Amino acid sequence: MAVSFAAVNLRTMALRSSSKLLRRSSHLLPPIHMQHSAPPLTRKISMDARSIASQLNRSGLLKTQGLIGGKWSDSYDGKTIQVYNPATGESIADVACMGGKETNDAIASAYDAYRSWSKTTAAERSKLLRKWYDLLMAHKEELAQLMTLEQGKPLKEAMGEVNYGAGFIEFSAEEAKRIYGDIIPAPMSDRRLFVLKQPVGVVGAITPWNFPLAMITRKVGPALACGCTVVIKPSELTPLTALAAAELAIQAGIPAGAVNVVMGNAPEIGDALLASPQVRKITFTGSTAVGKKLMAGSAETVKKVSLELGGNAPCIIFDDADIDIAVKGTLAAKYRNSGQTCVCANRILVQEGIYDKFAKALIDAVRNMKVGDGFGEDVVQGPLINEAAVKKVETLLQDATSKGAKVMLGGKRHSLGFTFYEPTVVGDVNSDMRISREEVFGPVAPLLRFKTEEDAIRIANDTNAGLGSYVFTNSIQRSWRVAEALEYGLVGINEGVISTEVAPFGGFKQSGLGREGSKYGMDEYLEIKYVCLGNMKKE
């Protein structure tokens, strides 16, 4: 069943390389009047980025080809696509633009490798994954620099993602040895019943641009640990981090074909993964719209599917909350990665008794946030990923203000130009505005008032999404009541950063299917087989 991926939104799909570093891209430059006023810092940053890219190229981690069957490969037709630095608009590298043919070869390679990889012992798989983890940590600085270069997040935040992403590989290495079956008491004396857990097979892993490493490792780690092999399709906006991680997997000794990477023509790659009967599972992080297409396309060959889709996270501030803790947690939940995460606080619900005090404290804190190139000192917010992302923020903000919302801070493009946007706080928002119904995916904090606990729960649950949510209160009783009432897969209480490799990550309703991370995430890559042994009477 062919499925069109042409309408893929900001949070999806992938691309390839011949390493022409940092060519100026005219169509990503700011308007002429902004070019003349660009601060000297921008030119200095550009030189720093050029130096970092050159260093990464010399280190061997700046890969620009796809990985098929353990070999680095150009696209078969020689086509390439450019990867840009969103902070400067400059081209970092040309990477291979692959399509259906390359994807089919990657699937065949993964299928061949599966026959031997699935037969290796859990202990052996664990050792190789541990080696991969060690290499990721040994190259933490280079991976973080590469991530900041192609994705734009501050370097300190990128370092945090490497720790987070590598943690999934370490956890998977440990869990590989704990995939237990079961013995069931038989209803008849001459029978023995037991349960085996076996790898599902070849996995197609489609990942987004906002977490270029962690979204790959939390899929690939458990897949390999369970005995599966993978074909990875990273986003075309950030393929370089994925390719560097794959290079380190090779160095760790993970056998050829167990990990493959293709990027480029998203519709062709997606259709090839869906059409192949050799691919037994699709795991995807991205938009709800694309997730639905993948789910429909997987039906033709009845693939197992894991989907981590869009969110509309409420952040509920009750009157009894500690203001300092609530502001700190809201900053982390809202502005991390410039607001470009699926669990970002999309609606900040503030009880009317604390609304004015909280709004003032939040504005004071946001005003002190330093915006700039991710390599800059003390920078806490980088650029948005591209021009389309900025326009989406502008559209949602314009809709809100036309319906009565008030911009309390920010609300416009940053003077740095390019795709930088001012950290923004908007008051008097209500549930009828698009900004309350759609993911902003930008540094905009919409404040909504509520009166009672029941009102907060009703407003929070009034959405098709159900991924992340946050609650700030000093009442233990209320924290339990609200956590149980929220229709969300994740609830943070008095904390704004709750993701970890040891806990299950996933959503309710249209935010997805299945879980990633923790022991529960391992089951997504396993089949359960029941075996009945009969005629056990004594001979």
Side-chain angles (χ1 to χ4, degrees):
M1 176 180 177
V3 176
S4 172
F5 290 84
V8 179
N9 79 359
L10 292 175
R11 300 182 60 208
T12 353
M13 311 305 206
L15 297 167
R16 151 59 196 129
S17 132
S18 74
S19 189
K20 298 175 183 175
L21 300 176
L22 289 153
R23 294 195 310 272
R24 173 64 63 181
S25 169
S26 60
H27 74 279
L28 285 184
L29 290 174
I32 294 298
H33 71 278
M34 292 176 67
Q35 290 183 44
H36 290 311
S37 62
L41 175 63
T42 303
R43 288 191 290 274
K44 179 178 182 298
I45 284 171
S46 181
M47 291 302 295
D48 290 345
R50 188 186 304 276
S51 173
I52 289 167
S54 297
Q55 292 172 18
L56 289 167
N57 194 37
R58 290 194 297 272
S59 75
L61 290 182
L62 186 59
K63 295 293 183 181
T64 56
Q65 299 169 296
L67 180 63
I68 301 174
K71 297 180 180 178
W72 295 104
S73 172
D74 291 327
S75 60
Y76 295 165
D77 59 8
K79 290 182 179 179
T80 62
I81 189 167
Q82 291 183 329
V83 179
Y84 297 100
N85 179 348
T88 65
E90 293 175 317
S91 172
I92 305 166
D94 296 329
V95 299
C97 183
M98 295 176 156
K101 292 180 180 179
E102 295 91 341
T103 304
N104 285 330
D105 285 350
I107 293 169
S109 170
Y111 188 73
D112 288 342
Y114 173 73
R115 295 169 183 168
S116 56
W117 179 249
S118 62
K119 300 295 190 297
T120 59
T121 65
E124 180 64 19
R125 295 197 297 270
S126 177
K127 288 177 184 177
L128 293 175
L129 283 167
R130 181 70 201 196
K131 288 180 182 178
W132 190 16
Y133 164 78
D134 289 339
L135 285 169
L136 289 170
M137 295 304 293
H139 293 276
K140 177 164 60 173
E141 288 190 11
E142 295 103 310
L143 290 168
Q145 289 171 343
L146 189 56
M147 199 182 305
T148 295
L149 202 60
E150 68 173 344
Q151 200 272 341
K153 66 180 61 180
L155 186 60
K156 183 178 179 180
E157 204 170 300
M159 294 278 278
E161 182 179 339
V162 177
N163 288 331
Y164 176 56
F168 286 103
I169 302 301
E170 181 183 37
F171 184 84
S172 298
E174 296 162 349
E175 286 297 297
K177 296 180 287 186
R178 302 188 186 109
I179 300 172
Y180 303 128
D182 204 357
I183 296 176
I184 302 170
M188 302 174 69
S189 62
D190 67 339
R191 295 189 183 182
R192 300 294 181 268
L193 313 180
F194 55 96
V195 174
L196 301 177
K197 289 186 178 180
Q198 296 181 314
V200 68
V202 176
V203 175
I206 303 172
T207 61
W209 50 263
N210 55 344
F211 289 92
L213 178 66
M215 296 302 98
I216 288 173
T217 56
R218 80 178 186 188
K219 300 176 188 301
V220 176
L224 292 175
C226 291
C228 300
T229 55
V230 294
V231 177
I232 305 166
K233 189 205 117 10
S235 168
E236 72 277 8
L237 301 176
T238 56
L240 302 177
T241 304
L243 295 170
E247 166 62 22
L248 294 176
I250 294 173
Q251 292 181 24
I254 292 173
V259 175
N260 304 270
V261 185
V262 291
M263 61 278 177
N265 187 318
E268 286 192 15
I269 294 171
D271 287 345
L273 290 172
L274 293 177
S276 174
Q278 293 180 336
V279 176
R280 295 309 312 142
K281 177 180 173 66
I282 294 290
T283 174
F284 170 72
T285 296
S287 73
T288 300
V290 173
K292 290 178 179 179
K293 291 184 177 183
L294 289 168
M295 194 172 177
S298 295
E300 186 71 17
T301 51
V302 196
K303 301 184 195 302
K304 197 168 185 174
V305 177
S306 296
L307 304 173
E308 192 265 283
L309 308 178
N312 187 4
C315 180
I316 305 173
I317 318 294
F318 285 101
D319 282 346
D320 63 355
D322 182 301
I323 285 284
D324 292 339
I325 291 175
V327 168
K328 180 181 178 182
T330 301
L331 285 175
K334 172 67 261 183
Y335 295 100
R336 184 168 62 113
N337 204 12
S338 301
Q340 301 173 118
T341 86
C342 51
V343 291
C344 270
N346 207 57
R347 299 166 293 157
I348 301 172
L349 282 55
V350 188
Q351 199 160 14
E352 56 186 8
I354 204 174
Y355 182 93
D356 292 335
K357 186 177 181 182
F358 175 82
K360 182 182 183 304
L362 180 65
I363 289 168
D364 289 343
V366 173
R367 186 179 281 118
N368 291 326
M369 292 172 59
K370 184 176 179 181
V371 179
D373 186 290
F375 292 112
E377 189 175 353
D378 298 324
V379 167
V380 295
Q381 182 184 303
L384 297 186
I385 188 66
N386 57 19
E387 180 64 21
V390 180
K391 288 182 176 177
K392 180 182 181 183
V393 170
E394 290 177 329
T395 298
L396 294 178
L397 193 57
Q398 183 180 14
D399 174 80
T401 54
S402 71
K403 295 174 181 175
K406 303 290 191 300
V407 175
M408 306 171 79
L409 182 71
K412 61 183 185 294
R413 292 175 184 250
H414 199 280
S415 59
L416 287 172
F418 301 106
T419 58
F420 290 97
Y421 199 87
E422 292 186 357
T424 298
V425 179
V426 189
D428 296 333
V429 174
N430 62 56
S431 296
D432 294 328
M433 299 172 183
R434 287 180 60 193
I435 206 166
S436 294
R437 319 289 313 172
E438 303 175 28
E439 273 189 301
V440 180
F441 241 62
V444 179
L447 305 185
L448 295 79
R449 296 176 190 262
F450 72 89
K451 291 184 179 181
T452 67
E453 181 180 311
E454 291 72 23
D455 288 337
I457 293 169
R458 175 182 52 79
I459 295 168
N461 287 339
D462 184 23
T463 174
N464 288 329
L467 189 55
S469 60
Y470 308 90
V471 179
F472 290 88
T473 176
N474 276 333
S475 168
I476 294 294
Q477 295 90 336
R478 171 176 279 158
S479 67
W480 274 106
R481 288 196 306 268
V482 176
E484 290 175 351
L486 289 173
E487 297 169 354
Y488 290 83
L490 312 169
V491 182
I493 299 174
N494 296 326
E495 180 55 62
V497 180
I498 60 176
S499 298
T500 169
E501 72 276 9
V502 302
F505 188 104
F508 289 11
K509 298 188 280 191
Q510 293 187 31
S511 282
L513 299 171
R515 293 296 181 268
E516 294 186 316
S518 80
K519 64 179 183 179
Y520 303 102
M522 303 295 289
D523 289 338
E524 300 291 330
Y525 298 90
L526 295 166
E527 294 281 19
I528 292 177
K529 179 183 289 183
Y530 155 58
V531 179
C532 174
L533 185 58
N535 292 303
M536 292 293 291
K537 290 181 180 180
K538 188 176 180 180
E539 295 177 354

